[in-house]
């Protein structure tokens, strides 16, 4: 048996060596760190978004491996005092050495009137010299600035030509069976542990975009089809899109192609302040909205007329302390996330209290500032337990089923998970707000894939808080909150 084992090992090593010799190995790309751009006359969040656009442009050149933002921020934290909070060429070189990066890119972005100025410097760490420097001045909306940044980066770093196909290997390994190539276990697989090992990330690519609105700019506004920090989205049976336009204090409704239909706000709730967070639509077209300002739930007709309101601030049954997520079952039971009371409450469509579960804590069935809730077609309930950086799954009576997730920046990990939705195949979609992407899981918590990363360009997100999935599983709709827009992403 030992002889056979050694022969088999020798064959595998020989096969691998021949494959490398025949096919060749791509040389490992050097690392490049893009430091946070200094903002001049713009908000820090806008400077961060533009920095993300620079990273995206560098990635698209295929010339370098990007150092992660987490590592860069940690290095800057170690060196910030030494350089008195200002990072110039010497600082950039030192950060590059700290990160073992071959190159470092840094610079600034400023705004004067409607004109943006962006300056980028590329530093070679080994020689400690500025290798290249480019700058632009453009009069353009913020949402179109990434196009200009892409051209600027290409002047600093030439785009590499497509790699030549590798020579055929001398031998081929047997093709993997389809079952072996699946990304995740089937739904009946054993549930994963709450803390999962990080997965290896594939290359970052924009999500398969169908629609973005408003389409021409990233800026908050009060006009029809404009938004100020939208936090919730929902779809009705006809595919119309409902948006909780949170800081504008209103609900906006659009057709499936993004055409504005109608809106309603404070006038529909008695001319008082209205702070809608999340919403759900039933089969009859009634719209249920959680209002954080009045600590209540509203039921509106499809046209926006107020039909019913229930709830006041408090901790008794039927009271709320900043209600967030809301979902409705096929038989008309409403599930409401009572965020600061760390519990889930159940009601009928008239607001009659039906039950509740949960309390503050990190054990099974406990919560720390839960955010959103969704139901699958079997009646199981999924909750984004934001303060515990996990998803919890329950039966309709509140019985704990399982949980997954931990705090972090890798697959199956979360940073302030918020919106959640379930498709007809019981696949779970989570708006992972702090990580600026949408994660997809099986209904037992197996990671399947992710969509997007931080950025300004369509298909990328900044603090997404809401997600809704088409019943047929063709697309999802995302409240791209800090970018003040709604995006529709293909799931095919």
């Amino acid at each position: 048996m030992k002889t056979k084992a050694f022969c088999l090992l020798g064959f595998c090593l020989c096969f691998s060596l021949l494959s490398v010799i025949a096919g060749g190995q791509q040389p490992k790309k050097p690392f490049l760190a893009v430091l946070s751009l200094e903002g001049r006359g713009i908000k820090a969040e806008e400077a961060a978004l533009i920095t993300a656009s620079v990273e995206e442009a560098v990635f698209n050149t295929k010339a370098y491996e990007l150092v992660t933002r987490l590592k860069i921020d940690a290095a800057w934290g170690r060196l910030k005092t030494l350089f008195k909070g200002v990072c110039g060429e010497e600082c950039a070189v030192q950060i590059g050495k700290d990160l073992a990066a071959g190159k470092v890119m840094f610079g600034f972005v400023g705004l004067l009137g409607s004109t943006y100025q962006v300056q980028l410097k590329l530093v070679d760490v080994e020689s400690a010299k500025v290798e290249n420097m480019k700058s632009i001045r453009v009069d353009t909306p913020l949402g179109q600035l990434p196009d200009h940044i892409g051209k600027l980066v290409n002047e600093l770093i030439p785009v590499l030509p497509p790699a030549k196909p590798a020579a055929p290997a001398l031998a081929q390994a047997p093709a993997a069976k389809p079952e072996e190539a699946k990304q995740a276990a089937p739904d009946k697989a054993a549930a994963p542990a709450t803390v999962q090992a990080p997965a290896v990330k594939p290359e970052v690519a924009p999500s398969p975009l169908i629609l973005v609105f408003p389409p021409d700019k990233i800026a908050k506004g009060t006009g029809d089809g404009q938004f100020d920090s939208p936090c919730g989205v929902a779809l009705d049976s006809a595919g119309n899109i409902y948006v909780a336009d949170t800081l504008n204090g209103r609900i906006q409704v659009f057709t499936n192609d993004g055409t504005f239909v109608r809106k309603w706000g404070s006038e529909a709730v008695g001319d008082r302040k209205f702070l809608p967070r999340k919403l759900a639509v039933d089969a009859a077209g009634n719209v249920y909205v959680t209002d954080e300002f009045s600590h209540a739930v509203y039921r509106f007709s499809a046209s926006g007329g107020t039909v019913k309101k229930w709830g006041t601030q408090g901790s008794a049954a039927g009271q709320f302390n900043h209600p967030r997520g809301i979902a409705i079952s096929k038989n008309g039971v409403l599930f409401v996330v009572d965020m600061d009371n760390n519990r889930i409450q159940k009601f009928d469509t008239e607001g009659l209290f039906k039950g509740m579960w949960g309390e503050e804590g990190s054990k099974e069935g406990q919560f720390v500032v839960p955010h959103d809730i969704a139901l699958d077609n079997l009646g199981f309930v999924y909750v984004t337990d934001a303060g515990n950086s996990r998803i919890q799954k329950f039966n309709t009576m509140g019985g704990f089923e399982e949980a997954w997730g931990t705090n972090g920046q890798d697959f199956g990990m979360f940073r302030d998970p918020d919106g959640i939705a379930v498709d007809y195949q019981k696949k779970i979609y989570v708006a992972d707000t702090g990580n600026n992407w949408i994660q997809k899981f099986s209904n037992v918590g197996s990671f399947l894939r992710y969509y997007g990363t931080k950025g300004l360009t369509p298909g990328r997100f900044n603090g997404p808080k809401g997600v809704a999935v088409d019943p047929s599983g063709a697309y999802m709709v995302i409240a791209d909150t800090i970018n003040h827009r709604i995006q529709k992403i293909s799931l095919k």
Side-chain angles (χ1 to χ4, degrees):
M1 290 295 292
K2 288 183 178 179
T3 303
K4 289 183 178 179
F6 280 120
C7 288
L8 180 58
L9 177 61
F11 171 77
C12 292
L13 291 172
C14 184
F15 171 78
S16 300
L17 181 60
L18 289 172
S19 297
V20 169
I21 294 172
Q25 276 190 326
Q26 294 293 330
K28 197 169 184 179
K29 292 184 284 189
F31 280 94
L32 185 147
V34 178
L35 307 189
S36 295
L37 298 183
E38 175 193 351
R40 300 180 182 178
I42 65 172
K43 295 179 181 178
E45 66 180 37
E46 291 181 357
L49 284 170
I50 296 166
T51 300
S53 295
V54 173
E55 289 181 315
E56 179 183 349
V58 171
F59 173 83
N60 288 336
T61 68
K62 307 297 183 185
Y64 294 95
E65 294 286 348
L66 285 169
V67 179
T68 66
R69 178 59 42 196
L70 185 66
K71 290 182 179 179
I72 294 170
D73 290 345
W76 174 234
R78 292 189 290 270
L79 298 169
K80 190 173 184 178
T81 303
L82 177 63
F83 290 98
K84 299 180 180 179
V86 179
C87 197
E89 294 171 19
E90 184 181 352
C91 168
V93 170
Q94 192 58 48
I95 288 178
K97 291 179 179 178
D98 188 275
L99 297 170
K103 310 283 183 184
V104 175
M105 188 178 291
F106 73 103
F108 71 86
V109 54
L111 178 64
L112 182 61
S114 61
T115 301
Y116 283 95
Q117 180 181 5
V118 182
Q119 182 186 88
L120 299 176
K121 294 182 180 181
L122 185 65
V123 173
D124 178 73
V125 175
E126 186 176 0
S127 65
K129 293 181 180 179
V130 174
E131 194 173 81
N132 204 350
M133 180 179 73
K134 297 289 181 181
S135 63
I136 54 170
R137 290 176 182 269
V138 288
D139 190 342
T140 185
L142 178 61
Q144 296 176 14
L145 189 57
D147 294 335
H148 299 280
I149 286 175
K151 295 175 183 177
L152 181 65
V153 168
N154 287 342
E155 292 178 10
L156 278 170
I157 306 171
V159 179
L160 293 181
K164 293 181 179 180
L170 294 181
Q172 281 190 322
K177 294 180 180 179
E179 292 79 15
E180 296 170 352
K182 290 183 179 179
Q183 292 182 348
D187 290 346
K188 293 183 180 179
T194 299
V195 179
Q196 296 172 324
V200 178
K201 294 183 180 181
E203 290 187 345
V204 175
S207 299
L209 181 77
I210 298 176
L211 178 71
V212 59
F213 56 96
D216 55 343
K217 59 183 177 179
I218 297 176
K220 60 185 177 182
T222 59
D224 295 346
Q226 294 182 313
F227 307 100
D228 188 350
S229 305
C231 288
V233 286
L235 297 167
D236 67 15
S237 58
N240 294 309
I241 300 168
Y242 293 73
V243 180
D245 186 8
T246 304
L247 295 189
N248 277 329
R250 64 187 181 183
I251 305 301
Q252 293 198 67
V253 185
F254 303 85
T255 63
N256 197 254
D257 64 1
T259 302
F260 174 79
V261 176
R262 59 184 172 273
K263 64 185 177 184
W264 67 86
S266 60
E267 74 287 348
V269 297
D271 289 321
R272 68 185 70 179
K273 187 174 180 180
F274 183 43
L275 195 65
R277 274 289 183 171
K278 304 290 184 182
L279 68 174
V281 185
D282 68 16
N286 296 305
V287 184
Y288 302 84
V289 181
T290 54
D291 176 19
E292 276 202 76
F293 181 76
S294 61
H295 305 277
V297 172
Y298 284 94
R299 188 177 100 210
F300 299 98
S301 66
S303 60
T306 306
V307 178
K308 189 79 177 179
K309 174 198 173 189
W310 67 89
T312 56
Q313 187 170 18
S315 57
Q319 291 186 310
F320 303 106
N321 194 3
H322 297 104
R324 279 283 185 101
I326 187 166
I328 187 166
S329 69
K330 291 183 290 186
N331 58 353
V333 177
L334 282 164
F335 295 76
V336 181
V337 175
D338 188 6
M339 182 177 72
D340 285 345
N341 283 327
N342 294 294
R343 64 188 182 185
I344 308 300
Q345 296 198 63
K346 295 167 60 177
F347 302 87
D348 68 12
T349 56
E350 294 298 319
L352 181 65
F353 176 78
K354 292 291 186 179
M356 63 183 176
W357 76 87
E359 61 183 358
E360 185 174 1
S362 56
K363 296 179 181 178
E364 295 176 354
Q366 295 181 327
F367 305 102
V368 177
V369 289
H371 279 3
D372 203 8
I373 192 165
L375 310 175
D376 68 19
N377 52 19
L378 296 178
F380 288 106
V381 181
Y382 303 84
V383 180
T384 50
D385 185 9
N388 285 318
S389 302
R390 66 183 179 182
I391 308 302
Q392 292 200 67
K393 178 180 176 180
F394 304 89
N395 62 34
T396 53
M397 302 304 295
F400 176 82
E401 294 285 328
E402 55 200 318
W404 67 88
T406 185
N407 183 262
Q409 294 177 284
D410 220 314
F411 299 150
M413 299 179 179
F414 304 103
R415 293 173 62 213
D416 194 26
D418 197 323
I420 189 167
V422 188
D423 69 17
Y424 76 106
Q425 293 180 318
K426 301 182 291 298
K427 299 299 187 291
I428 318 300
Y429 300 79
V430 180
D432 187 6
T433 306
N435 284 325
N436 302 291
W437 58 13
I438 308 299
Q439 294 198 61
K440 179 180 178 180
F441 300 88
S442 74
N443 67 344
V444 293
S446 298
F447 172 79
L448 299 178
R449 68 163 293 177
Y450 77 107
Y451 300 83
T453 186
K454 186 173 183 177
L456 291 163
T457 53
R460 297 178 184 269
F461 313 112
N462 189 17
K465 287 183 176 293
V467 59
V469 179
D470 164 52
S472 71
Y475 61 86
M476 64 178 166
V477 178
I478 297 104
D480 188 8
T481 306
I482 299 177
N483 282 336
H484 308 292
R485 66 186 179 187
I486 304 301
Q487 297 199 58
K488 182 180 174 184
I489 303 295
S490 173
L491 297 176
K492 297 298 186 181

